[in-house]
Amino acid sequence: MSAIANRCVITLNAGSSSIKFALFEEVSDALKPHAVGLAEMAGEERRLTIRDGAGEIIHQAKRQERSDVPFHAEALRRILSWRQGAFPNANVVAAGHRVVHGGVNHAAPALVTDAVLKDLEALIPLAPLHQPYNIAGIVGAREAWPHVAQVACFDTAFHRSHPYVNDTFALPRELYDEGVRRYGFHGLSYEYVTRKLREIAPLHAAGRVVVAHLGNGASMCAIRDGLSVASSMGFTALDGLPMGTRCGQLDPGVVLYLMQEKKMSADEIVDLLYKRSGLLGLSGFSNDMRELLASERPEAQQAIEYFVFRIRRELGGLAAVLKGIDAIVFCGGIGENAWQVRERALEGMEWIGVELDRTSNRANEEIISSERSRTRVFVVKTNEEAMIAKHTLALFDAQSRRAA
Ligand code: ADP
């Protein structure tokens, strides 16, 4: 394993039964990934798998654990002890955490203090499936690494620039005032992609851009001059496009029907909308786009058709919000790889200036529009971890300067 001479940052993305993490070293102005890992809990089994920057497995461990040992605290101690063994000299100055919700107050990453943590706890009702675990990751990291600065990076922060019409629902004002707003998510991915576009095509990046983040979670975002002006996701990460297992945009009357006529409980509806809908619900057998594309079952084709249909609707809507469009960017597992989805999403889109180069598209090239296309279309590999690491180091430096 290569030695590490410079400052390092660890990024953490804690879910209910997994923690994704990465170790970056600052080399000149860039951040070099040395390790990318996943700690997960499957029943009583706790697994830890770590790969190097090139994707080769460098550590793998499994063990049975009594279920009363808290997963996050224990996993973070194991990650720390692996790091101490594998990179004993690494100078880890800060840990950056992905936090799904920053509410209305956090438009930028924040150094974690007791007050910030309290703020984030108050937002749990707005993201009950993610926020408690993100917080458990922070609390565990503070315990395991008491001398390392902890930084929270928010998925909502990038969208705080939304104008009022894209921030509100048409509900009584007091609900807006208490936080029932269109927050938007996937912000760290949009921010990374926006910065990358600035390197690849600065003129386009300064214009009107629609980014489609299409992974297991999927959303689209309209960006003007680098700032988010509208997003397909709203109050929660359920709205907008259909996803692997989430429904996407839904008439609220359906929820009323499920409650009133089918007598479903809130928990049952949560399970239906988050875990049994989307591509899985429509196809009846898979949430994985690769499997759907390979299948000849008509339900699989209909699931893809619905996915594409919603992308097209959203693209038209966001182009109208921006009053025209200079660039489209695809990212996420589907956006970066599924050329069939891109081809179908962009078919007949000449009216917004898009002319696809089918050959480049099928080869997943960086630019997939033709030379003549007025609107340029890009495929960019997103990297939320790198964005978290950048923010974390920048905030750490700003804090150190202030303290000096
Ligand atoms: P997450 O939101 O969990 O980070 P990803 O961004 O990894 O998800 O995206 C996962 C999705 O990308 C899955 O539906 C998967 O099938 C799809 N995907 C990954 N690689 C390909 C590929 N080569 N062709 C088509 N779809 C792909």
Side-chain angles (χ1 to χ4, degrees):
M1 235 168 276
S2 56
I4 298 186
N6 305 301
R7 300 190 306 172
C8 293
V9 181
I10 284 191
T11 63
L12 293 157
N13 180 358
S16 60
S17 57
S18 73
I19 299 180
K20 290 185 196 152
F21 65 96
L23 174 69
F24 289 91
E25 179 191 12
E26 184 185 34
V27 182
S28 305
D29 273 346
L31 284 158
K32 176 179 174 188
H34 279 281
V36 179
L38 176 68
E40 51 186 340
M41 172 172 71
E44 298 233 320
E45 190 169 275
R46 309 273 167 110
R47 301 181 197 141
L48 181 62
T49 310
I50 305 175
R51 296 169 186 274
D52 63 14
E56 293 292 319
I57 292 184
I58 51 176
H59 179 83
Q60 215 165 15
K62 270 186 202 175
R63 67 178 194 219
Q64 300 294 318
E65 205 63 58
R66 281 193 345 267
S67 55
D68 57 347
V69 179
F71 164 70
H72 293 88
E74 190 261 344
L76 285 158
R77 275 198 296 274
R78 283 173 69 195
I79 293 168
L80 175 66
S81 97
W82 164 81
R83 203 278 298 155
Q84 285 170 333
F87 298 103
N89 300 323
N91 174 21
V92 178
V93 294
H97 299 264
R98 181 176 186 177
V99 178
V100 70
H101 224 300
V104 292
N105 295 327
H106 292 288
L111 192 72
V112 176
T113 59
D114 290 344
V116 167
L117 213 48
K118 241 180 146 177
D119 230 23
L120 302 186
E121 276 163 6
L123 295 167
I124 288 176
L126 301 189
L129 298 185
H130 296 99
Q131 193 86 345
Y133 309 111
N134 299 160
I135 292 172
I138 297 177
V139 171
R142 281 179 119 193
E143 272 168 29
W145 310 322
H147 305 299
V148 168
Q150 311 288 329
V151 174
C153 299
F154 306 101
D155 260 325
T156 48
F158 186 65
H159 302 295
R160 294 317 303 144
S161 48
H162 283 186
Y164 175 74
V165 286
N166 267 307
D167 197 35
T168 193
F169 299 101
L171 291 169
R173 279 192 174 263
E174 52 271 25
L175 284 167
Y176 178 81
D177 294 340
E178 72 174 63
V180 181
R181 301 186 185 193
R182 297 186 56 87
Y183 290 98
F185 299 87
H186 288 138
L188 292 158
S189 173
Y190 290 128
E191 207 178 348
Y192 178 86
V193 164
T194 303
R195 289 186 185 202
K196 205 78 202 161
L197 191 65
R198 227 174 272 155
E199 289 168 23
I200 306 168
L203 281 180
H204 289 84
R208 300 157 299 178
V209 183
V210 170
V211 181
H213 175 108
L214 310 176
N216 269 321
S219 70
M220 289 171 70
C221 183
I223 297 168
R224 185 188 293 122
D225 197 13
L227 294 178
S228 170
V229 293
S231 153
S232 64
M233 273 185 176
F235 181 56
T236 65
L238 269 184
D239 202 2
L241 303 177
M243 303 171 223
T245 60
R246 284 175 252 164
C247 59
Q249 193 273 329
L250 188 73
D251 176 347
V254 174
V255 177
L256 299 179
Y257 169 80
L258 297 175
M259 288 164 65
Q260 291 172 333
E261 300 301 323
K262 312 245 336 161
K263 307 292 178 210
M264 285 175 75
S265 69
D267 285 347
E268 286 168 336
I269 296 174
V270 165
D271 184 64
L272 177 79
L273 302 185
Y274 277 92
K275 300 197 177 135
R276 295 194 282 124
S277 299
L279 297 175
L280 175 65
L282 286 170
S283 69
F285 74 96
S286 178
N287 64 331
D288 190 308
M289 184 54 82
R290 277 168 296 203
E291 288 184 21
L292 299 178
L293 287 167
S295 167
E296 284 175 5
R297 286 158 73 164
E299 296 85 357
Q301 295 315 312
Q302 281 178 341
I304 299 170
E305 228 168 85
Y306 184 79
F307 187 64
V308 166
F309 169 72
R310 298 304 308 204
I311 294 170
R312 294 171 62 85
R313 260 182 85 145
E314 209 58 60
L315 181 57
L318 294 175
V321 167
L322 290 169
K323 300 182 184 153
I325 186 168
D326 301 304
I328 299 169
V329 184
F330 286 93
C331 64
I334 297 172
E336 291 160 26
N337 299 295
W339 60 263
Q340 303 92 327
V341 170
R342 294 193 303 257
E343 191 170 288
R344 289 161 68 173
L346 295 179
E347 195 195 321
M349 283 285 172
E350 291 78 13
W351 65 280
I352 50 168
V354 174
E355 192 186 297
L356 195 67
D357 180 323
R358 283 173 183 261
T359 313
S360 323
N361 183 48
R362 289 181 182 209
N364 293 327
E365 285 177 12
E366 187 171 78
I367 298 175
I368 58 170
S369 47
S370 75
E371 289 285 330
R372 282 194 309 273
S373 188
R374 186 163 46 78
T375 299
R376 280 199 137 185
V377 187
F378 301 86
V379 175
V380 172
K381 189 168 167 38
T382 193
N383 191 340
E384 286 146 308
E385 282 73 29
M387 197 65 245
I388 295 170
K390 258 191 184 127
H391 277 312
T392 302
L393 210 50
L395 192 64
F396 175 79
D397 283 338
Q399 207 66 25
S400 309
R401 277 197 299 275
R402 223 167 290 153

